Amino acid sequence: MGSCNEPAPSFPAGTLARLKTAASAEEFFVLLAVPYENKVLNVARLHILKRMGEYLDGDDLDGAPEAVALARCRAVLARAYEEFAASSPLDRRVFKVLKDAVAPKRPAGFVPLDDLK
């Protein structure tokens, strides 16, 4: 796996449009020229893409030049990948079902004061 500090590659024209229609995690990695290992991607593909989306949330890339938008997407994909290469999806818990699995359970019939209005 290469460093996120490597210079961004120059992307062919139309890469951003192709990225918007990518059908697999592998396609994201190939289009954005982010190296990956299959064993990591096979376990955490959805988690990586969800985390990438969380990192991009709030970024207004629609008006940005294509090279800037692609560089930002590449950086956050590499960051999300590194996160899941270093730990498991269970450790990071990006999906609600995984978060709920470790949330403290409320006793039956218990109504917190915050729920009363």
Side-chain angles (χ1 to χ4, degrees), residues 79-117:
R79 179 178 169 199
Y81 174 84
E82 289 295 334
E83 187 176 320
F84 287 97
S87 65
S88 76
L90 287 175
D91 293 335
R92 297 297 179 176
R93 299 185 188 275
V94 295
F95 288 103
K96 183 179 183 325
V97 67
L98 295 176
K99 290 176 186 173
D100 289 350
V102 294
K105 305 288 184 216
R106 288 184 180 177
F110 177 76
V111 179
L113 289 175
D114 292 344
D115 289 354
L116 299 175
K117 295 184 181 186

PDB file of all heavy atoms in Angstrom, residues 79-117:
ATOM      1  N   ARG A  79      -7.599   7.401   3.044  1.00  0.00           N
ATOM      2  CA  ARG A  79      -7.713   7.529   4.508  1.00  0.00           C
ATOM      3  C   ARG A  79      -8.664   6.474   5.078  1.00  0.00           C
ATOM      4  O   ARG A  79      -8.366   5.814   6.074  1.00  0.00           O
ATOM      5  CB  ARG A  79      -8.213   8.932   4.841  1.00  0.00           C
ATOM      6  CG  ARG A  79      -8.390   9.194   6.309  1.00  0.00           C
ATOM      7  CD  ARG A  79      -8.848  10.615   6.535  1.00  0.00           C
ATOM      8  NE  ARG A  79      -9.277  10.815   7.899  1.00  0.00           N
ATOM      9  CZ  ARG A  79     -10.038  11.816   8.300  1.00  0.00           C
ATOM     10  NH1 ARG A  79     -10.438  12.738   7.442  1.00  0.00           N
ATOM     11  NH2 ARG A  79     -10.400  11.921   9.555  1.00  0.00           N
ATOM     12  N   ALA A  80      -9.815   6.301   4.430  1.00  0.00           N
ATOM     13  CA  ALA A  80     -10.783   5.302   4.891  1.00  0.00           C
ATOM     14  C   ALA A  80     -10.206   3.897   4.771  1.00  0.00           C
ATOM     15  O   ALA A  80     -10.370   3.065   5.669  1.00  0.00           O
ATOM     16  CB  ALA A  80     -12.076   5.420   4.091  1.00  0.00           C
ATOM     17  N   TYR A  81      -9.508   3.626   3.674  1.00  0.00           N
ATOM     18  CA  TYR A  81      -8.898   2.312   3.492  1.00  0.00           C
ATOM     19  C   TYR A  81      -7.875   2.035   4.588  1.00  0.00           C
ATOM     20  O   TYR A  81      -7.875   0.956   5.189  1.00  0.00           O
ATOM     21  CB  TYR A  81      -8.228   2.218   2.116  1.00  0.00           C
ATOM     22  CG  TYR A  81      -7.474   0.926   1.941  1.00  0.00           C
ATOM     23  CD1 TYR A  81      -8.130  -0.231   1.534  1.00  0.00           C
ATOM     24  CD2 TYR A  81      -6.110   0.839   2.208  1.00  0.00           C
ATOM     25  CE1 TYR A  81      -7.446  -1.430   1.397  1.00  0.00           C
ATOM     26  CE2 TYR A  81      -5.420  -0.348   2.072  1.00  0.00           C
ATOM     27  CZ  TYR A  81      -6.094  -1.477   1.662  1.00  0.00           C
ATOM     28  OH  TYR A  81      -5.421  -2.668   1.543  1.00  0.00           O
ATOM     29  N   GLU A  82      -7.016   2.991   4.857  1.00  0.00           N
ATOM     30  CA  GLU A  82      -5.989   2.822   5.891  1.00  0.00           C
ATOM     31  C   GLU A  82      -6.621   2.542   7.256  1.00  0.00           C
ATOM     32  O   GLU A  82      -6.111   1.747   8.043  1.00  0.00           O
ATOM     33  CB  GLU A  82      -5.086   4.054   5.972  1.00  0.00           C
ATOM     34  CG  GLU A  82      -4.163   4.219   4.790  1.00  0.00           C
ATOM     35  CD  GLU A  82      -3.126   3.107   4.667  1.00  0.00           C
ATOM     36  OE1 GLU A  82      -2.768   2.480   5.677  1.00  0.00           O
ATOM     37  OE2 GLU A  82      -2.676   2.874   3.539  1.00  0.00           O
ATOM     38  N   GLU A  83      -7.735   3.205   7.515  1.00  0.00           N
ATOM     39  CA  GLU A  83      -8.438   3.003   8.785  1.00  0.00           C
ATOM     40  C   GLU A  83      -8.863   1.546   8.954  1.00  0.00           C
ATOM     41  O   GLU A  83      -8.703   0.957  10.018  1.00  0.00           O
ATOM     42  CB  GLU A  83      -9.652   3.930   8.819  1.00  0.00           C
ATOM     43  CG  GLU A  83     -10.379   3.971  10.118  1.00  0.00           C
ATOM     44  CD  GLU A  83     -11.519   4.981  10.103  1.00  0.00           C
ATOM     45  OE1 GLU A  83     -11.363   6.085   9.544  1.00  0.00           O
ATOM     46  OE2 GLU A  83     -12.575   4.641  10.650  1.00  0.00           O
ATOM     47  N   PHE A  84      -9.395   0.966   7.884  1.00  0.00           N
ATOM     48  CA  PHE A  84      -9.886  -0.409   7.972  1.00  0.00           C
ATOM     49  C   PHE A  84      -8.801  -1.437   7.698  1.00  0.00           C
ATOM     50  O   PHE A  84      -8.968  -2.610   8.032  1.00  0.00           O
ATOM     51  CB  PHE A  84     -11.097  -0.612   7.061  1.00  0.00           C
ATOM     52  CG  PHE A  84     -12.311   0.053   7.614  1.00  0.00           C
ATOM     53  CD1 PHE A  84     -12.687   1.314   7.187  1.00  0.00           C
ATOM     54  CD2 PHE A  84     -13.051  -0.559   8.612  1.00  0.00           C
ATOM     55  CE1 PHE A  84     -13.793   1.953   7.734  1.00  0.00           C
ATOM     56  CE2 PHE A  84     -14.155   0.069   9.168  1.00  0.00           C
ATOM     57  CZ  PHE A  84     -14.524   1.326   8.724  1.00  0.00           C
ATOM     58  N   ALA A  85      -7.682  -1.026   7.147  1.00  0.00           N
ATOM     59  CA  ALA A  85      -6.539  -1.934   7.013  1.00  0.00           C
ATOM     60  C   ALA A  85      -5.890  -2.133   8.376  1.00  0.00           C
ATOM     61  O   ALA A  85      -5.309  -3.182   8.654  1.00  0.00           O
ATOM     62  CB  ALA A  85      -5.534  -1.377   6.008  1.00  0.00           C
ATOM     63  N   ALA A  86      -6.017  -1.122   9.244  1.00  0.00           N
ATOM     64  CA  ALA A  86      -5.392  -1.168  10.562  1.00  0.00           C
ATOM     65  C   ALA A  86      -6.303  -1.745  11.639  1.00  0.00           C
ATOM     66  O   ALA A  86      -5.829  -2.094  12.719  1.00  0.00           O
ATOM     67  CB  ALA A  86      -4.949   0.240  10.966  1.00  0.00           C
ATOM     68  N   SER A  87      -7.601  -1.802  11.392  1.00  0.00           N
ATOM     69  CA  SER A  87      -8.531  -2.345  12.384  1.00  0.00           C
ATOM     70  C   SER A  87      -9.730  -2.949  11.676  1.00  0.00           C
ATOM     71  O   SER A  87      -9.945  -2.714  10.497  1.00  0.00           O
ATOM     72  CB  SER A  87      -8.974  -1.257  13.359  1.00  0.00           C
ATOM     73  OG  SER A  87      -9.711  -0.277  12.683  1.00  0.00           O
ATOM     74  N   SER A  88     -10.518  -3.676  12.419  1.00  0.00           N
ATOM     75  CA  SER A  88     -11.653  -4.387  11.814  1.00  0.00           C
ATOM     76  C   SER A  88     -12.904  -3.512  11.768  1.00  0.00           C
ATOM     77  O   SER A  88     -13.026  -2.542  12.521  1.00  0.00           O
ATOM     78  CB  SER A  88     -11.960  -5.652  12.612  1.00  0.00           C
ATOM     79  OG  SER A  88     -12.627  -5.316  13.812  1.00  0.00           O
ATOM     80  N   PRO A  89     -13.843  -3.881  10.904  1.00  0.00           N
ATOM     81  CA  PRO A  89     -15.130  -3.179  10.878  1.00  0.00           C
ATOM     82  C   PRO A  89     -15.836  -3.204  12.232  1.00  0.00           C
ATOM     83  O   PRO A  89     -16.507  -2.245  12.595  1.00  0.00           O
ATOM     84  CB  PRO A  89     -15.938  -3.936   9.823  1.00  0.00           C
ATOM     85  CG  PRO A  89     -14.906  -4.484   8.898  1.00  0.00           C
ATOM     86  CD  PRO A  89     -13.746  -4.846   9.804  1.00  0.00           C
ATOM     87  N   LEU A  90     -15.654  -4.282  13.001  1.00  0.00           N
ATOM     88  CA  LEU A  90     -16.268  -4.350  14.333  1.00  0.00           C
ATOM     89  C   LEU A  90     -15.663  -3.319  15.276  1.00  0.00           C
ATOM     90  O   LEU A  90     -16.347  -2.802  16.156  1.00  0.00           O
ATOM     91  CB  LEU A  90     -16.120  -5.747  14.923  1.00  0.00           C
ATOM     92  CG  LEU A  90     -17.012  -6.814  14.299  1.00  0.00           C
ATOM     93  CD1 LEU A  90     -16.697  -8.187  14.885  1.00  0.00           C
ATOM     94  CD2 LEU A  90     -18.480  -6.480  14.494  1.00  0.00           C
ATOM     95  N   ASP A  91     -14.389  -3.024  15.100  1.00  0.00           N
ATOM     96  CA  ASP A  91     -13.744  -2.002  15.940  1.00  0.00           C
ATOM     97  C   ASP A  91     -14.256  -0.604  15.598  1.00  0.00           C
ATOM     98  O   ASP A  91     -14.406   0.239  16.472  1.00  0.00           O
ATOM     99  CB  ASP A  91     -12.219  -2.022  15.761  1.00  0.00           C
ATOM    100  CG  ASP A  91     -11.587  -3.287  16.297  1.00  0.00           C
ATOM    101  OD1 ASP A  91     -12.183  -3.928  17.194  1.00  0.00           O
ATOM    102  OD2 ASP A  91     -10.494  -3.639  15.819  1.00  0.00           O
ATOM    103  N   ARG A  92     -14.510  -0.348  14.324  1.00  0.00           N
ATOM    104  CA  ARG A  92     -14.889   0.998  13.859  1.00  0.00           C
ATOM    105  C   ARG A  92     -16.386   1.255  13.909  1.00  0.00           C
ATOM    106  O   ARG A  92     -16.811   2.392  14.067  1.00  0.00           O
ATOM    107  CB  ARG A  92     -14.375   1.231  12.432  1.00  0.00           C
ATOM    108  CG  ARG A  92     -12.880   1.198  12.325  1.00  0.00           C
ATOM    109  CD  ARG A  92     -12.290   2.309  13.137  1.00  0.00           C
ATOM    110  NE  ARG A  92     -10.837   2.265  13.066  1.00  0.00           N
ATOM    111  CZ  ARG A  92     -10.069   3.137  13.608  1.00  0.00           C
ATOM    112  NH1 ARG A  92     -10.577   4.142  14.271  1.00  0.00           N
ATOM    113  NH2 ARG A  92      -8.771   3.035  13.517  1.00  0.00           N
ATOM    114  N   ARG A  93     -17.197   0.229  13.696  1.00  0.00           N
ATOM    115  CA  ARG A  93     -18.659   0.310  13.791  1.00  0.00           C
ATOM    116  C   ARG A  93     -19.259   1.517  13.072  1.00  0.00           C
ATOM    117  O   ARG A  93     -19.829   2.411  13.679  1.00  0.00           O
ATOM    118  CB  ARG A  93     -19.089   0.296  15.257  1.00  0.00           C
ATOM    119  CG  ARG A  93     -18.673  -0.972  15.965  1.00  0.00           C
ATOM    120  CD  ARG A  93     -19.195  -1.047  17.372  1.00  0.00           C
ATOM    121  NE  ARG A  93     -18.629  -2.180  18.073  1.00  0.00           N
ATOM    122  CZ  ARG A  93     -19.109  -3.427  18.031  1.00  0.00           C
ATOM    123  NH1 ARG A  93     -20.165  -3.700  17.324  1.00  0.00           N
ATOM    124  NH2 ARG A  93     -18.500  -4.386  18.694  1.00  0.00           N
ATOM    125  N   VAL A  94     -19.155   1.543  11.753  1.00  0.00           N
ATOM    126  CA  VAL A  94     -19.715   2.656  10.996  1.00  0.00           C
ATOM    127  C   VAL A  94     -21.203   2.484  10.705  1.00  0.00           C
ATOM    128  O   VAL A  94     -21.886   3.464  10.440  1.00  0.00           O
ATOM    129  CB  VAL A  94     -18.958   2.909   9.665  1.00  0.00           C
ATOM    130  CG1 VAL A  94     -17.548   3.354   9.925  1.00  0.00           C
ATOM    131  CG2 VAL A  94     -18.996   1.712   8.753  1.00  0.00           C
ATOM    132  N   PHE A  95     -21.694   1.251  10.747  1.00  0.00           N
ATOM    133  CA  PHE A  95     -23.103   1.011  10.453  1.00  0.00           C
ATOM    134  C   PHE A  95     -23.920   0.938  11.739  1.00  0.00           C
ATOM    135  O   PHE A  95     -23.464   0.429  12.760  1.00  0.00           O
ATOM    136  CB  PHE A  95     -23.273  -0.278   9.643  1.00  0.00           C
ATOM    137  CG  PHE A  95     -22.792  -0.146   8.233  1.00  0.00           C
ATOM    138  CD1 PHE A  95     -21.575  -0.670   7.836  1.00  0.00           C
ATOM    139  CD2 PHE A  95     -23.552   0.528   7.289  1.00  0.00           C
ATOM    140  CE1 PHE A  95     -21.127  -0.545   6.540  1.00  0.00           C
ATOM    141  CE2 PHE A  95     -23.115   0.663   5.990  1.00  0.00           C
ATOM    142  CZ  PHE A  95     -21.901   0.130   5.606  1.00  0.00           C
ATOM    143  N   LYS A  96     -25.143   1.413  11.671  1.00  0.00           N
ATOM    144  CA  LYS A  96     -26.029   1.483  12.834  1.00  0.00           C
ATOM    145  C   LYS A  96     -26.205   0.117  13.503  1.00  0.00           C
ATOM    146  O   LYS A  96     -26.189   0.021  14.720  1.00  0.00           O
ATOM    147  CB  LYS A  96     -27.384   2.048  12.411  1.00  0.00           C
ATOM    148  CG  LYS A  96     -28.353   2.237  13.575  1.00  0.00           C
ATOM    149  CD  LYS A  96     -29.670   2.819  13.108  1.00  0.00           C
ATOM    150  CE  LYS A  96     -30.661   3.095  14.189  1.00  0.00           C
ATOM    151  NZ  LYS A  96     -30.722   2.207  15.321  1.00  0.00           N
ATOM    152  N   VAL A  97     -26.362  -0.918  12.736  1.00  0.00           N
ATOM    153  CA  VAL A  97     -26.582  -2.244  13.307  1.00  0.00           C
ATOM    154  C   VAL A  97     -25.397  -2.662  14.188  1.00  0.00           C
ATOM    155  O   VAL A  97     -25.583  -3.299  15.225  1.00  0.00           O
ATOM    156  CB  VAL A  97     -26.879  -3.290  12.204  1.00  0.00           C
ATOM    157  CG1 VAL A  97     -25.670  -3.538  11.326  1.00  0.00           C
ATOM    158  CG2 VAL A  97     -27.362  -4.587  12.807  1.00  0.00           C
ATOM    159  N   LEU A  98     -24.194  -2.293  13.797  1.00  0.00           N
ATOM    160  CA  LEU A  98     -23.019  -2.617  14.609  1.00  0.00           C
ATOM    161  C   LEU A  98     -22.931  -1.731  15.845  1.00  0.00           C
ATOM    162  O   LEU A  98     -22.505  -2.172  16.911  1.00  0.00           O
ATOM    163  CB  LEU A  98     -21.741  -2.508  13.781  1.00  0.00           C
ATOM    164  CG  LEU A  98     -21.606  -3.516  12.637  1.00  0.00           C
ATOM    165  CD1 LEU A  98     -20.345  -3.246  11.830  1.00  0.00           C
ATOM    166  CD2 LEU A  98     -21.617  -4.934  13.169  1.00  0.00           C
ATOM    167  N   LYS A  99     -23.341  -0.477  15.701  1.00  0.00           N
ATOM    168  CA  LYS A  99     -23.361   0.428  16.859  1.00  0.00           C
ATOM    169  C   LYS A  99     -24.399  -0.038  17.872  1.00  0.00           C
ATOM    170  O   LYS A  99     -24.160  -0.040  19.072  1.00  0.00           O
ATOM    171  CB  LYS A  99     -23.668   1.862  16.420  1.00  0.00           C
ATOM    172  CG  LYS A  99     -22.547   2.506  15.642  1.00  0.00           C
ATOM    173  CD  LYS A  99     -22.955   3.877  15.154  1.00  0.00           C
ATOM    174  CE  LYS A  99     -21.889   4.459  14.260  1.00  0.00           C
ATOM    175  NZ  LYS A  99     -22.309   5.709  13.635  1.00  0.00           N
ATOM    176  N   ASP A 100     -25.568  -0.434  17.375  1.00  0.00           N
ATOM    177  CA  ASP A 100     -26.649  -0.889  18.256  1.00  0.00           C
ATOM    178  C   ASP A 100     -26.292  -2.176  18.984  1.00  0.00           C
ATOM    179  O   ASP A 100     -26.790  -2.426  20.085  1.00  0.00           O
ATOM    180  CB  ASP A 100     -27.940  -1.101  17.461  1.00  0.00           C
ATOM    181  CG  ASP A 100     -28.562   0.203  16.990  1.00  0.00           C
ATOM    182  OD1 ASP A 100     -28.095   1.280  17.429  1.00  0.00           O
ATOM    183  OD2 ASP A 100     -29.500   0.146  16.177  1.00  0.00           O
ATOM    184  N   ALA A 101     -25.424  -2.980  18.395  1.00  0.00           N
ATOM    185  CA  ALA A 101     -25.059  -4.255  19.009  1.00  0.00           C
ATOM    186  C   ALA A 101     -24.301  -4.067  20.318  1.00  0.00           C
ATOM    187  O   ALA A 101     -24.323  -4.951  21.171  1.00  0.00           O
ATOM    188  CB  ALA A 101     -24.216  -5.079  18.040  1.00  0.00           C
ATOM    189  N   VAL A 102     -23.676  -2.920  20.503  1.00  0.00           N
ATOM    190  CA  VAL A 102     -22.924  -2.670  21.739  1.00  0.00           C
ATOM    191  C   VAL A 102     -23.545  -1.574  22.585  1.00  0.00           C
ATOM    192  O   VAL A 102     -23.031  -1.234  23.643  1.00  0.00           O
ATOM    193  CB  VAL A 102     -21.447  -2.302  21.441  1.00  0.00           C
ATOM    194  CG1 VAL A 102     -20.724  -3.478  20.829  1.00  0.00           C
ATOM    195  CG2 VAL A 102     -21.344  -1.065  20.597  1.00  0.00           C
ATOM    196  N   ALA A 103     -24.667  -1.037  22.134  1.00  0.00           N
ATOM    197  CA  ALA A 103     -25.344   0.013  22.903  1.00  0.00           C
ATOM    198  C   ALA A 103     -25.958  -0.594  24.158  1.00  0.00           C
ATOM    199  O   ALA A 103     -26.468  -1.716  24.126  1.00  0.00           O
ATOM    200  CB  ALA A 103     -26.435   0.671  22.058  1.00  0.00           C
ATOM    201  N   PRO A 104     -25.914   0.140  25.256  1.00  0.00           N
ATOM    202  CA  PRO A 104     -26.540  -0.387  26.479  1.00  0.00           C
ATOM    203  C   PRO A 104     -28.042  -0.574  26.263  1.00  0.00           C
ATOM    204  O   PRO A 104     -28.698   0.243  25.626  1.00  0.00           O
ATOM    205  CB  PRO A 104     -26.263   0.681  27.525  1.00  0.00           C
ATOM    206  CG  PRO A 104     -25.591   1.807  26.847  1.00  0.00           C
ATOM    207  CD  PRO A 104     -25.338   1.442  25.425  1.00  0.00           C
ATOM    208  N   LYS A 105     -28.550  -1.670  26.767  1.00  0.00           N
ATOM    209  CA  LYS A 105     -29.977  -1.978  26.632  1.00  0.00           C
ATOM    210  C   LYS A 105     -30.770  -1.268  27.716  1.00  0.00           C
ATOM    211  O   LYS A 105     -30.355  -1.182  28.859  1.00  0.00           O
ATOM    212  CB  LYS A 105     -30.210  -3.481  26.740  1.00  0.00           C
ATOM    213  CG  LYS A 105     -29.405  -4.303  25.769  1.00  0.00           C
ATOM    214  CD  LYS A 105     -29.934  -4.151  24.374  1.00  0.00           C
ATOM    215  CE  LYS A 105     -29.152  -5.072  23.444  1.00  0.00           C
ATOM    216  NZ  LYS A 105     -28.925  -4.553  22.161  1.00  0.00           N
ATOM    217  N   ARG A 106     -31.935  -0.750  27.336  1.00  0.00           N
ATOM    218  CA  ARG A 106     -32.853  -0.137  28.306  1.00  0.00           C
ATOM    219  C   ARG A 106     -33.671  -1.240  28.958  1.00  0.00           C
ATOM    220  O   ARG A 106     -34.143  -2.154  28.291  1.00  0.00           O
ATOM    221  CB  ARG A 106     -33.814   0.817  27.608  1.00  0.00           C
ATOM    222  CG  ARG A 106     -33.193   2.088  27.119  1.00  0.00           C
ATOM    223  CD  ARG A 106     -34.284   2.961  26.554  1.00  0.00           C
ATOM    224  NE  ARG A 106     -33.736   4.216  26.071  1.00  0.00           N
ATOM    225  CZ  ARG A 106     -34.448   5.139  25.479  1.00  0.00           C
ATOM    226  NH1 ARG A 106     -35.742   4.954  25.271  1.00  0.00           N
ATOM    227  NH2 ARG A 106     -33.885   6.261  25.075  1.00  0.00           N
ATOM    228  N   PRO A 107     -33.874  -1.137  30.247  1.00  0.00           N
ATOM    229  CA  PRO A 107     -34.749  -2.124  30.900  1.00  0.00           C
ATOM    230  C   PRO A 107     -36.177  -1.993  30.353  1.00  0.00           C
ATOM    231  O   PRO A 107     -36.620  -0.904  29.992  1.00  0.00           O
ATOM    232  CB  PRO A 107     -34.696  -1.738  32.378  1.00  0.00           C
ATOM    233  CG  PRO A 107     -33.626  -0.713  32.525  1.00  0.00           C
ATOM    234  CD  PRO A 107     -33.301  -0.193  31.178  1.00  0.00           C
ATOM    235  N   ALA A 108     -36.891  -3.104  30.306  1.00  0.00           N
ATOM    236  CA  ALA A 108     -38.274  -3.097  29.820  1.00  0.00           C
ATOM    237  C   ALA A 108     -39.114  -2.177  30.696  1.00  0.00           C
ATOM    238  O   ALA A 108     -39.015  -2.187  31.918  1.00  0.00           O
ATOM    239  CB  ALA A 108     -38.839  -4.511  29.837  1.00  0.00           C
ATOM    240  N   GLY A 109     -39.922  -1.350  30.068  1.00  0.00           N
ATOM    241  CA  GLY A 109     -40.813  -0.450  30.796  1.00  0.00           C
ATOM    242  C   GLY A 109     -40.138   0.824  31.275  1.00  0.00           C
ATOM    243  O   GLY A 109     -40.789   1.663  31.897  1.00  0.00           O
ATOM    244  N   PHE A 110     -38.862   0.993  31.003  1.00  0.00           N
ATOM    245  CA  PHE A 110     -38.136   2.178  31.436  1.00  0.00           C
ATOM    246  C   PHE A 110     -38.343   3.311  30.438  1.00  0.00           C
ATOM    247  O   PHE A 110     -38.212   3.133  29.243  1.00  0.00           O
ATOM    248  CB  PHE A 110     -36.640   1.868  31.543  1.00  0.00           C
ATOM    249  CG  PHE A 110     -35.803   3.063  31.918  1.00  0.00           C
ATOM    250  CD1 PHE A 110     -35.766   3.534  33.228  1.00  0.00           C
ATOM    251  CD2 PHE A 110     -35.059   3.725  30.957  1.00  0.00           C
ATOM    252  CE1 PHE A 110     -34.996   4.626  33.562  1.00  0.00           C
ATOM    253  CE2 PHE A 110     -34.286   4.817  31.284  1.00  0.00           C
ATOM    254  CZ  PHE A 110     -34.241   5.284  32.603  1.00  0.00           C
ATOM    255  N   VAL A 111     -38.724   4.485  30.952  1.00  0.00           N
ATOM    256  CA  VAL A 111     -38.887   5.662  30.117  1.00  0.00           C
ATOM    257  C   VAL A 111     -37.935   6.734  30.640  1.00  0.00           C
ATOM    258  O   VAL A 111     -38.122   7.234  31.759  1.00  0.00           O
ATOM    259  CB  VAL A 111     -40.343   6.189  30.113  1.00  0.00           C
ATOM    260  CG1 VAL A 111     -40.474   7.435  29.257  1.00  0.00           C
ATOM    261  CG2 VAL A 111     -41.303   5.103  29.680  1.00  0.00           C
ATOM    262  N   PRO A 112     -36.912   7.108  29.861  1.00  0.00           N
ATOM    263  CA  PRO A 112     -35.980   8.135  30.338  1.00  0.00           C
ATOM    264  C   PRO A 112     -36.687   9.482  30.457  1.00  0.00           C
ATOM    265  O   PRO A 112     -37.632   9.782  29.723  1.00  0.00           O
ATOM    266  CB  PRO A 112     -34.897   8.191  29.262  1.00  0.00           C
ATOM    267  CG  PRO A 112     -35.196   7.126  28.289  1.00  0.00           C
ATOM    268  CD  PRO A 112     -36.545   6.569  28.584  1.00  0.00           C
ATOM    269  N   LEU A 113     -36.225  10.315  31.376  1.00  0.00           N
ATOM    270  CA  LEU A 113     -36.813  11.631  31.557  1.00  0.00           C
ATOM    271  C   LEU A 113     -36.753  12.463  30.290  1.00  0.00           C
ATOM    272  O   LEU A 113     -37.655  13.267  30.026  1.00  0.00           O
ATOM    273  CB  LEU A 113     -36.094  12.369  32.683  1.00  0.00           C
ATOM    274  CG  LEU A 113     -36.360  11.825  34.096  1.00  0.00           C
ATOM    275  CD1 LEU A 113     -35.506  12.566  35.115  1.00  0.00           C
ATOM    276  CD2 LEU A 113     -37.828  11.948  34.452  1.00  0.00           C
ATOM    277  N   ASP A 114     -35.703  12.285  29.483  1.00  0.00           N
ATOM    278  CA  ASP A 114     -35.574  13.045  28.235  1.00  0.00           C
ATOM    279  C   ASP A 114     -36.697  12.737  27.244  1.00  0.00           C
ATOM    280  O   ASP A 114     -36.995  13.554  26.370  1.00  0.00           O
ATOM    281  CB  ASP A 114     -34.217  12.750  27.565  1.00  0.00           C
ATOM    282  CG  ASP A 114     -33.054  13.295  28.364  1.00  0.00           C
ATOM    283  OD1 ASP A 114     -33.281  14.141  29.257  1.00  0.00           O
ATOM    284  OD2 ASP A 114     -31.913  12.875  28.097  1.00  0.00           O
ATOM    285  N   ASP A 115     -37.305  11.543  27.351  1.00  0.00           N
ATOM    286  CA  ASP A 115     -38.384  11.174  26.450  1.00  0.00           C
ATOM    287  C   ASP A 115     -39.720  11.781  26.854  1.00  0.00           C
ATOM    288  O   ASP A 115     -40.669  11.778  26.075  1.00  0.00           O
ATOM    289  CB  ASP A 115     -38.521   9.649  26.357  1.00  0.00           C
ATOM    290  CG  ASP A 115     -37.379   9.006  25.605  1.00  0.00           C
ATOM    291  OD1 ASP A 115     -36.531   9.738  25.043  1.00  0.00           O
ATOM    292  OD2 ASP A 115     -37.334   7.756  25.563  1.00  0.00           O
ATOM    293  N   LEU A 116     -39.829  12.270  28.064  1.00  0.00           N
ATOM    294  CA  LEU A 116     -41.073  12.872  28.554  1.00  0.00           C
ATOM    295  C   LEU A 116     -41.121  14.328  28.128  1.00  0.00           C
ATOM    296  O   LEU A 116     -40.159  15.064  28.281  1.00  0.00           O
ATOM    297  CB  LEU A 116     -41.166  12.768  30.083  1.00  0.00           C
ATOM    298  CG  LEU A 116     -41.169  11.343  30.649  1.00  0.00           C
ATOM    299  CD1 LEU A 116     -41.131  11.409  32.161  1.00  0.00           C
ATOM    300  CD2 LEU A 116     -42.382  10.593  30.174  1.00  0.00           C
ATOM    301  N   LYS A 117     -42.233  14.736  27.618  1.00  0.00           N
ATOM    302  CA  LYS A 117     -42.382  16.136  27.192  1.00  0.00           C
ATOM    303  C   LYS A 117     -43.612  16.738  27.776  1.00  0.00           C
ATOM    304  O   LYS A 117     -44.589  16.221  28.021  1.00  0.00           O
ATOM    305  CB  LYS A 117     -42.425  16.234  25.674  1.00  0.00           C
ATOM    306  CG  LYS A 117     -41.122  15.817  25.077  1.00  0.00           C
ATOM    307  CD  LYS A 117     -41.143  16.000  23.581  1.00  0.00           C
ATOM    308  CE  LYS A 117     -39.804  15.533  23.045  1.00  0.00           C
ATOM    309  NZ  LYS A 117     -39.611  15.758  21.690  1.00  0.00           N
TER     310      LYS A 117
END
